[in-house]
Amino acid sequence: MSAVPEEPTRGPVTAGPVRADSGRGRDPAAALARLVAAPGRDDRLTHRAVVPARAAEEAPWPGWVDDAVVTAYAARGVQRPWSHQVAAAEAARAGEHVVLATGTASGKSLAYLMPALTAIREGRGPRGQRGASVLYIAPTKALAHDQWASIRELGVDVRVATHDGDSSPEEREWTRDHAEYVLTNPDMLHRSLLPGHERWTPFWRTLRYVVVDECHHYRGVFGAHVAQILRRLRRVCAAAGSEPVVILASATVAEPEVTARRLVGAEVTAVTHDGSPRGEVVLGLWEPPLTTGTGENGAPVRRPATAETADLLTDLVLSDVRTLAFVRSRRGVETVARRADELLAEVDPSLVGRVDSYRGGYLPEERRELERSLRSGGLLGMAATNALELGIDVSGLDAVIVTGYPGTRAAFWQQVGRAGRDGGGALGLLVARDDPLDTYLVHHPEALLGRPVEGTVFDTDNPYVLGPHLCAAAQERPLTTADLPLFGPRTREVLADLVAQGLLRRRPAGWFWTDRARAADLADIRSSGGRTVQLVEEATGRVVGTVDGARAHGTAHTGAVYLHRGETFVVTDLDLDQHVATLRRDEVEWTTSARETTDITITAEREHTMWGPCRVSVGEVEVTSQVVSYLRRRTRTGEVIDETPLDLPPRTLATTAVWWQVPDATLLEAADVLGVADLPGAAHAAEHCSIGLLPLFATCDRWDIGGVSTARHPDTGVLTVFVHDGHPGGAGFAERGYRTAATWLRATRDAIAACECATGCPSCVQSPKCGNGNDPLDKPGALVLLDLLLAEAPRGD
């Protein structure tokens, strides 16, 4: 999807929820105009753009499609499929692995259901025996259940079942023995189906198609894990006598054939031309105003994006505009939903309860009920994490608010695409956080709306990912030399390390797993490392939620605020030995954010390039970090209340980094404007902003990466700035930063220069997780330093 940018729009100033005239807000331009026109919102809409409507391109049904499938879709109003659906279905039917990369709500499910359901019905024995089967893989249980409901409602006679953590033992047994269309997720494939593959042999033997839905979701370390799981799946199927065709689908992925090939480990045909119709989409970029409060070191702060979103969500619900607000964090989701409900109670009590929240950590029955209420119109508004970014059918929505840039242009378009799914017009709003990247985008709309989506970044050769999956594969079936190409070029090297560690044993026939434990337990495919920490309410013993062990220091420390479905908790104790954090119920008017100090050591430079006298490198590093304190900020304004020290142990991470060096001689050239005393602050400010801007060039989140800067690093002897991956072995983000360094660092320089503050603020060079309290920071010095670095850099894309 691409927008036609218009001139930046400035409207009369607005604030607070306003009751609009009755009547459903189906006109997205009118809905945006009402938001802008409310009193007190001067200059908040920084840009307005329109994605024009698109006409449909139809194609005849392929002659091989089962009549029951054609009849079922005709009953739902689908007389002829769209051109891209037929193209993908024909490729899959011909035995080609295929990736379908067309827009949100473009009917990708019909493209894979044509060959999948037809194969099932064709292969069935005379007494209904399973002769062909299909495995559908979704990144979330919610999406798998949504697809299960859609197939059941279609009315075609196939035996369909889900296999996930919510399935009972009886349901799993029936699925294994009888189901023809099985819906699961990578976690269950990794921990259940593949380790127990021998019991599933009849299913593997008949497996014709593997559907990998929302494949853009598999990025970073998670993507690397899923790529290895798919290789293990293909290997198990080959042993059972089948070679299933893999069909991948995504609304938003650049170079889809490259991403799909890396995921599957084989050549893939791409179908990208979209033949589906689309209503007009009106887009707005929105920046909350500066407040009268101040942050660290007296820096100005903007109104929190969550508070702004709660107001906008309330306004849209009052106008009868069905709206979904995406919020980055679980805590933010709870905050937005609760505040919107409070505002609705003030203006129209009849609408209380018509806004709710949706995020991970809810019970399965809670999630299903929320999804049903959103579809039926029982809910007019919802605040959600990216769990609802995926292809769950929530047609009928009129507007989407994206609270904070979601990390990639792909995710932005995916979220905006949740509205207007019934072919009508839609409104999409990006509300900027007080953050360098968000601020850059709302003032440089061409960087968001005028560029294609990113390529998906993940490193299939990361030994910290590859090693555990080789162990799991060896337990499933002993590894042979013939298997090595399937798992990638570093396989033999990693196998040697596993043998040296005693995890595998080398014999003439291959590599064997000899431990009694489950090899699959070596890899936690969604965690960044560390055992999960349970959050327990101290008064009742109830488990409120969980956090990854690697994030527990920063999010479950003593004093941390945690929200769950409108309830506010404060962490009273974090027991790292027992992996438990205890909480108490407490209504507080602040949020918390952890501070972390970091040291870094270069262990190996992999590659470098020279920009005149300056050096840019990528390689392996060892990072030692420690959470040392946390800040309390007022919920409504973002103003800092105080800082509290913490006593938590340091942690060490071996990972990948990109770093750049400026030699002393070059610094001397600018000594008149960049004094020696300013160097640490200049490097620190440049580091912070570059971390904030890297997600524009690599499919990562700011919290997936970290950084260190120093006026003289012991390993280089000169001024050096590092940006490193936050995952063991690296996730590909720093590598991507190195490949796009000139463009990335120029954008960093431009973001600092464009910010309206004088000495640095959260929108440019301050970081919410800086362990040094954002001191020292020298904003003017950072500009001089980046100009020196970029003086002889190549012109980027």
Side-chain angles (χ1 to χ4, degrees):
M1 183 183 291
S2 61
V4 181
E6 299 179 357
E7 289 300 313
T9 304
R10 304 288 182 186
V13 178
T14 97
V18 178
R19 180 66 178 179
D21 295 335
S22 61
R24 189 157 177 74
R26 299 297 294 173
D27 181 350
L32 181 58
R34 284 196 298 271
L35 294 177
V36 172
R41 287 178 179 155
D42 273 1
D43 296 339
R44 297 192 198 182
L45 183 67
T46 62
H47 188 78
R48 178 183 178 276
V50 175
V51 180
R54 180 181 63 218
E57 293 180 17
E58 295 181 340
W61 288 97
W64 50 261
V65 178
D66 188 90
D67 290 343
V69 176
V70 177
T71 301
Y73 274 101
R76 300 179 70 174
V78 179
Q79 300 303 318
R80 286 161 62 91
W82 293 317
S83 57
H84 64 275
Q85 294 171 326
V86 172
E90 292 279 21
R93 177 76 173 185
E96 302 173 28
H97 300 309
V98 61
V99 56
L100 178 58
T102 53
T104 305
S106 60
K108 289 180 285 295
S109 59
L110 174 55
Y112 55 74
L113 285 174
M114 276 192 271
L117 299 182
T118 297
I120 287 172
R121 291 177 58 80
E122 284 178 344
R124 193 175 290 164
R127 289 194 289 273
Q129 306 98 309
R130 180 174 61 194
S133 56
V134 175
L135 182 67
Y136 171 95
I137 304 169
T140 66
K141 289 188 289 186
L143 179 55
H145 280 268
D146 187 78
Q147 289 290 308
W148 174 87
S150 297
I151 295 172
R152 293 293 294 266
E153 291 167 6
L154 188 61
V156 177
D157 176 26
V158 295
R159 297 192 293 273
V160 56
T162 57
H163 182 87
D164 58 32
D166 299 338
S167 306
S168 68
E170 295 76 18
E171 289 171 331
R172 296 184 186 191
E173 185 177 353
W174 185 91
T175 298
R176 186 175 62 242
D177 295 339
H178 303 291
E180 298 166 312
Y181 196 108
V182 176
L183 303 105
T184 190
N185 52 61
D187 311 77
M188 291 301 292
L189 194 56
H190 168 60
R191 293 193 176 276
S192 175
L193 277 78
L194 291 176
H197 69 93
E198 291 178 341
R199 296 192 304 274
W200 286 79
T201 297
F203 179 80
W204 304 130
R205 187 180 297 123
T206 61
L207 189 60
R208 289 283 302 277
Y209 295 103
V210 175
V211 178
V212 182
D213 207 357
E214 304 291 354
C215 67
H216 75 279
H217 196 78
Y218 303 121
R219 59 186 177 87
V221 172
F222 184 41
H225 279 296
V226 173
Q228 296 300 341
I229 291 168
L230 290 175
R231 285 157 174 74
R232 287 165 52 198
L233 171 63
R234 291 177 56 216
R235 181 170 175 263
V236 162
C237 288
S242 67
E243 294 185 20
V245 170
V246 183
I247 307 173
L248 305 100
S250 174
T252 44
V253 61
E255 300 181 321
E257 68 283 357
V258 175
T259 297
R261 183 171 65 246
R262 296 175 68 208
L263 273 173
V264 176
E267 291 301 314
V268 180
T269 299
V271 176
T272 58
H273 179 72
D274 194 335
S276 65
R278 176 79 206 196
E280 180 180 271
V281 180
V282 175
L283 296 165
L285 305 185
W286 192 279
E287 185 174 44
L290 290 169
T291 67
T292 56
T294 57
E296 289 180 283
N297 307 316
V301 295
R302 295 192 180 276
R303 187 172 189 236
T306 50
E308 194 80 1
T309 295
D311 278 359
L312 294 169
L313 177 59
T314 303
D315 286 347
L316 290 166
V317 169
L318 287 169
S319 298
D320 202 25
V321 177
R322 289 177 57 191
T323 305
L324 180 61
F326 284 105
V327 186
R328 299 294 304 279
S329 68
R330 294 181 174 188
R331 181 168 61 189
V333 163
E334 303 283 357
T335 300
V336 168
R338 184 170 61 175
R339 179 58 180 159
D341 209 44
E342 292 170 354
L343 292 171
L344 288 170
E346 296 172 8
V347 181
D348 187 346
S350 70
L351 292 175
V352 172
R354 302 293 298 279
V355 173
D356 211 326
S357 56
Y358 184 106
R359 62 170 178 78
Y362 288 177
L363 297 174
E365 53 269 25
E366 291 177 317
R367 295 197 302 268
R368 308 290 180 266
E369 180 56 36
L370 288 167
E371 292 160 19
R372 282 192 294 269
S373 296
L374 189 59
R375 288 192 197 97
S376 67
L379 291 174
L380 287 175
M382 179 177 280
T385 56
N386 63 356
L388 279 178
E389 172 188 316
L390 304 175
I392 296 170
D393 182 9
V394 286
S395 57
L397 292 174
D398 307 315
V400 166
I401 303 170
V402 180
T403 310
Y405 181 59
T408 64
R409 289 182 293 276
F412 170 76
W413 289 116
Q414 188 80 6
Q415 292 182 0
V416 167
R418 292 295 92 192
R421 289 173 66 84
D422 57 359
L427 170 64
L429 275 179
L430 171 64
V431 178
R433 294 168 302 165
D434 204 358
D435 170 90
L437 180 52
D438 285 36
T439 303
Y440 180 85
L441 290 173
V442 295
H443 292 287
H444 296 80
E446 70 283 354
L448 175 63
L449 308 179
R451 296 178 61 188
V453 297
E454 308 86 350
T456 302
V457 175
F458 56 90
D459 180 9
T460 56
D461 296 326
N462 181 339
Y464 291 89
V465 173
L466 178 58
H469 288 286
L470 289 174
C471 290
Q475 186 173 33
E476 289 151 11
R477 292 180 60 83
L479 284 163
T480 67
T481 54
D483 294 322
L484 303 190
L486 176 64
F487 291 97
R490 294 195 66 180
T491 301
R492 190 177 292 275
E493 168 196 342
V494 174
L495 283 172
D497 290 341
L498 295 172
V499 170
Q501 295 172 42
L503 291 170
L504 293 181
R505 182 172 298 173
R506 178 72 197 272
R507 293 173 179 168
W511 290 264
F512 289 74
W513 174 259
T514 57
D515 201 296
R516 292 182 180 179
R518 283 167 43 95
D521 293 339
L522 294 174
D524 184 352
I525 68 173
R526 292 185 190 260
S527 174
S528 56
R531 185 170 153 188
T532 297
V533 172
Q534 290 192 316
L535 306 175
V536 178
E537 185 178 14
E538 62 182 8
T540 64
R542 173 172 65 112
V543 177
V544 176
T546 60
V547 296
D548 287 344
R551 296 184 183 272
H553 288 226
T555 60
H557 56 77
T558 301
V561 174
Y562 182 82
L563 284 94
H564 180 79
R565 299 214 71 187
E567 295 179 313
T568 305
F569 298 86
V570 176
V571 178
T572 57
D573 180 63
L574 172 61
D575 188 330
L576 294 173
D577 293 328
Q578 298 299 318
H579 306 283
V580 172
T582 53
L583 322 174
R584 72 168 188 274
R585 286 283 306 279
D586 198 353
E587 294 296 326
V588 297
E589 297 298 324
W590 62 80
T591 62
T592 52
S593 57
R595 294 294 196 193
E596 192 170 49
T597 60
T598 306
D599 290 319
I600 195 164
T601 301
I602 299 172
T603 56
E605 182 186 66
R606 189 186 306 162
E607 189 176 338
H608 77 273
T609 185
M610 300 300 296
W611 295 350
C614 301
R615 184 184 185 103
V616 182
S617 306
V618 64
E620 283 72 51
V621 296
E622 191 170 88
V623 182
T624 302
S625 60
Q626 184 176 20
V627 172
V628 294
S629 65
Y630 68 93
L631 294 181
R632 294 193 303 159
R633 299 177 185 269
R634 299 194 191 283
T635 304
R636 302 284 174 82
T637 66
E639 182 181 2
V640 175
I641 301 172
D642 56 27
E643 183 172 2
T644 303
L646 292 168
D647 184 19
L648 290 167
R651 292 163 298 156
T652 300
L653 173 72
T655 188
T656 302
V658 54
W659 65 91
W660 48 270
Q661 307 165 213
V662 181
D664 293 346
T666 302
L667 295 174
L668 285 173
E669 297 173 8
D672 54 333
V673 291
L674 186 65
V676 173
D678 299 326
L679 287 177
H684 196 198
E687 172 217 328
H688 279 183
C689 194
S690 65
I691 290 172
L693 268 290
L694 183 56
L696 190 59
F697 302 90
T699 50
C700 66
D701 183 272
R702 180 175 188 151
W703 299 91
D704 289 327
I705 52 181
V708 177
S709 57
T710 174
R712 192 172 300 280
H713 191 272
D715 292 337
T716 64
V718 297
L719 183 147
T720 310
V721 175
F722 297 83
V723 175
H724 64 82
D725 290 349
H727 302 271
F733 307 139
E735 174 82 24
R736 179 66 176 168
Y738 176 76
R739 301 298 170 199
T740 62
T743 309
W744 163 41
L745 294 171
R746 281 199 179 91
T748 299
R749 189 256 178 227
D750 293 346
I752 297 173
C755 187
E756 60 193 287
C757 74
T759 58
C761 72
S763 291
C764 57
V765 299
Q766 286 194 350
S767 168
K769 58 177 183 174
C770 177
N772 295 321
N774 283 300
D775 183 56
L777 287 178
D778 185 341
K779 177 182 175 179
L783 287 174
V784 174
L785 185 59
L786 287 165
D787 284 340
L788 292 173
L789 173 70
L790 294 163
E792 297 186 52
R795 300 303 304 181
D797 178 8

